């Protein structure tokens, strides 16, 4: 037994058993093997080469220490000298400030409902597609219908041809003056003013020339981009002086006709509330001056008659609510608007008295309303501040420019 053990020991020493190959895969990613000599314990034997796992990676370097100011004695620390080891208080990290408690979140008010009655289709149609100047000629058509202007074709044709001629002339002027055309609302209104005041029965060359001049004055006789004279008043004045045309003012003579004119005028005022500064002073000063003159010249009986004529006739409301408030020739400054209305009212009351004093001027009595308007128009053109702001100041809207030139587009009207 001992002999066999000794023989196996000698064979093992002569032919050592190699380690198992290949080694078992490691759990970590494979790395390059490192060969090192291994000396087995016990009897001496030749060194053998064995596969060992790679050494662990070196630890990462510590983060650099930021220099912090030395604590002052009042903070409980002591200043350290250069090269000396800081104390524990100096090595301690600075204390962080405690954040202040957050303010309670502010609750936003509930969102307001946008729109309401302003988004109602009829209101949108009323505001967007029916501006005041368009309402004027629509209401004038209503007055023509109320005066039986559409009773027959023979009656309606001359009344409707005047606004059509005025619109065609206005479009021709727009084609020359402006880069784009607009619907001629103002020209149609001026033509209907002529139809109601003159009430033509046939279309003549004289009537056509009156319509052309009425619209032409709006585009030619201008100051600060506004017409100087009221176009309808200028046309009627031309028809009366040059062609001796009568002015019947075909508005009706009943109390119902007066109420209709007054109602339409107030609806028109609701679309331009600032115009009260024009017609309220006009009626107040005209009625007051008329009452004083009637009292001085005719006594109490004349005073009663003048007040009835001033308050119960459709012509009075038509002139004050439709012609005095014409937007293109009336001033826009608040103070000048009041002065304008008062001036026209006083002129309409005083001019008849002046014309009666001078026989040579008595023929101008029928032109008193138009001449009173011209007095106000000349006042507006003479006062530089007459074209002020109608409403409180707002951000000015950008003005349109002519395409390709960059120049501002001229104002139409």
């Amino acid at each position: 037994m001992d002999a066999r053990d000794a023989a196996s020991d000698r064979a093992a020493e002569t032919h050592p058993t190699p380690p198992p190959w290949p080694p078992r895969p490691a759990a970590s990613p494979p790395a390059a093997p490192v060969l090192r000599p291994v000396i087995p314990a016990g009897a001496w034997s030749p060194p053998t080469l064995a596969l060992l796992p790679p050494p662990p990676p070196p630890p990462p370097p510590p983060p650099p220490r930021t220099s912090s100011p030395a604590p002052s004695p009042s903070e409980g620390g002591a200043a350290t000298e250069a090269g000396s080891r800081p104390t524990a208080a100096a090595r301690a990290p600075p204390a962080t400030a405690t954040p202040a408690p957050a303010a309670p979140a502010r609750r936003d008010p509930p969102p307001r409902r946008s729109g309401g009655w302003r988004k109602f289709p009829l209101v949108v149609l009323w505001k967007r597609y029916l501006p005041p100047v368009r309402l004027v000629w629509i209401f004038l058509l209503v007055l023509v219908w109320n005066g039986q202007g559409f009773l027959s074709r023979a009656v309606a044709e001359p009344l409707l041809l005047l606004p059509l001629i005025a619109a065609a002339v206005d479009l021709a002027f727009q084609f020359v003056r402006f880069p784009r055309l607009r619907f001629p609302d103002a020209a149609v209104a001026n033509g209907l003013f002529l139809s109601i005041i003159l009430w033509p029965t046939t279309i003549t060359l004289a009537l056509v020339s009156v319509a052309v001049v009425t619209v032409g004055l709006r585009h030619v006789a201008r100051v600060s981009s506004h017409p100087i004279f009221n176009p309808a008043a200028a046309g009627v004045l031309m028809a009366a002086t040059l062609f001796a045309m009568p002015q019947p003012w075909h508005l009706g003579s009943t109390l119902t006709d007066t109420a209709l004119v007054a109602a339409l005028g107030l609806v028109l005022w609701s679309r331009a509330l600032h115009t009260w500064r024009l017609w309220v002073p006009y009626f107040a000063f005209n009625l007051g001056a008329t009452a004083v003159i009637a009292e001085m010249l005719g006594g109490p009986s004349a005073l009663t008659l003048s007040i009835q004529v001033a308050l119960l006739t459709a012509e009075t409301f038509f002139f004050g609510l439709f012609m005095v408030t014409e937007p293109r020739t009336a001033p826009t400054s608040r103070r000048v608007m009041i002065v304008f209305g008062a001036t026209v009212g006083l002129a309409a009351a005083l001019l008849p008295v002046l014309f009666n004093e001078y026989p040579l001027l008595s023929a101008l009595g029928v032109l008193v309303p138009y001449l009173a308007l011209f007095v106000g128009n000349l006042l507006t053109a003479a006062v530089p501040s007459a074209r002020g702001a109608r409403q409180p100041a707002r951000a000015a809207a950008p003005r349109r420019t002519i395409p390709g030139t960059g120049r501002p587009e001229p104002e139409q009207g």
Side-chain angles (χ1 to χ4, degrees), residues 233 236-237 240-241 247 249 282 286 290 319 323-324 343-356 361-376:
V236 175
L237 184 65
T241 55
Q247 305 96 49
W249 289 70
Y282 165 77
N286 181 262
T290 302
F319 183 77
M323 298 191 70
V324 174
T343 301
V344 176
L346 288 175
L350 295 177
L351 285 179
V353 179
L354 179 63
F355 293 157
N356 290 333
L361 301 178
S362 58
L364 300 177
V366 295
L367 305 178
V368 166
Y370 324 117
L371 296 178
L373 268 181
F374 289 165
V375 173

Side-chain angles (χ1 to χ4, degrees), residues 73-92:
S74 61
E75 296 177 354
T80 58
E81 300 179 356
S84 62
R85 188 173 183 180
T87 60
R91 291 195 305 269

